[in-house]
Amino acid sequence: ENGGAQCKAEVKSQVAPCNTQECDKGCVDAAWGEWLDWTDCTATCDSGFASRTRTLLVQANRCGKPVSGLREDFHVCPQLPPCIEDRDCVLSEWEDWAHCSCSCSGVRERNRHIAVYSAANGTACLTRALKAIEPCNPGVAEIAPSECGGQEPQDCSISLWTEWSKCTAPCGGGQQSRKRELLAASKGGGKPCETL
């Protein structure tokens, strides 16, 4: 105006942030999120466990309470089958009696074997004989053949058991054995070892 110089274009107002702190909501307590799904069991037999986790959903502020409880939870898997099923020992049928060892005051024997070994908590065959021995010519309560002459009855005698051998398998069902020997066969109608 009146020939004066025009004003330069300059900023005429400014804006700046202020009071940027959060508005006071009061005390905020921490809180857990929902539990995630249970994991698969750590085993398929005997004994195992599954777990689940959760994460922190809300963080406590300066005056809020922290969370309580577990971040991870475990439980034992129910009703898992045994890894090795219980199985009882099964013996085979007796084989036929062998021929008598002698025409006078002999012995004869028959055998059987373990057809199925016991496993886990199954019943073992420890107290069941795999070999049977009895007198023959004459047999028990029989009269001696005339060609054998009269003899005083003599009972069978056997040795003590040896120590048990090592098991044939570290797990899953194995076999260990021990032995004893015939010291004297029964004669003249004496008692066989099986009945001593």
Side-chain angles (χ1 to χ4, degrees):
E1 190 177 341
N2 298 326
Q6 292 185 349
C7 296
K8 291 182 180 179
E10 294 195 15
V11 175
K12 294 183 176 61
S13 66
Q14 288 185 326
V15 177
C18 62
N19 295 332
T20 56
Q21 74 273 14
E22 237 182 83
C23 294
D24 190 2
K25 298 177 184 176
C27 295
V28 177
D29 295 337
W32 288 115
E34 293 294 320
W35 284 106
L36 300 178
D37 291 337
W38 288 101
T39 64
D40 291 333
C41 191
T42 57
T44 57
C45 59
D46 273 351
S47 179
F49 65 88
S51 65
R52 62 179 181 171
T53 58
R54 57 184 175 175
T55 57
L56 198 61
L57 183 65
V58 178
Q59 188 80 35
N61 65 7
R62 66 186 186 284
C63 62
K65 295 178 183 176
V67 290
S68 63
L70 300 173
R71 181 185 298 271
E72 191 167 12
D73 188 19
F74 297 88
H75 76 78
V76 175
C77 303
Q79 299 176 338
L80 290 178
C83 290
I84 302 175
E85 293 186 10
D86 293 345
R87 185 177 64 225
D88 292 338
C89 174
V90 177
L91 295 178
S92 69
E93 296 295 322
W94 285 106
E95 296 171 0
D96 293 335
W97 285 104
H99 293 294
C100 191
S101 64
C102 189
S103 58
C104 291
S105 302
V107 292
R108 64 178 187 168
E109 65 180 50
R110 62 179 180 172
N111 298 284
R112 59 183 175 177
H113 63 273
I114 296 176
V116 178
Y117 291 105
S118 63
N121 295 316
T123 303
C125 294
L126 296 178
T127 59
R128 302 171 67 189
L130 298 179
K131 177 182 287 191
I133 301 173
E134 69 175 16
C136 53
N137 296 332
V140 178
E142 291 179 354
I143 299 173
S146 57
E147 62 269 20
C148 294
Q151 291 183 339
E152 288 293 320
Q154 176 181 302
D155 292 338
C156 171
S157 174
I158 52 177
S159 67
L160 297 176
W161 287 107
T162 62
E163 296 294 323
W164 285 106
S165 68
K166 291 183 178 179
C167 190
T168 57
C171 61
Q175 179 183 6
Q176 57 181 170
S177 61
R178 60 178 182 172
K179 297 179 181 179
R180 55 183 177 177
E181 296 180 353
L182 180 67
L183 300 178
S186 59
K187 294 181 180 179
K191 294 178 182 177
C193 291
E194 195 173 43
T195 60
L196 287 178

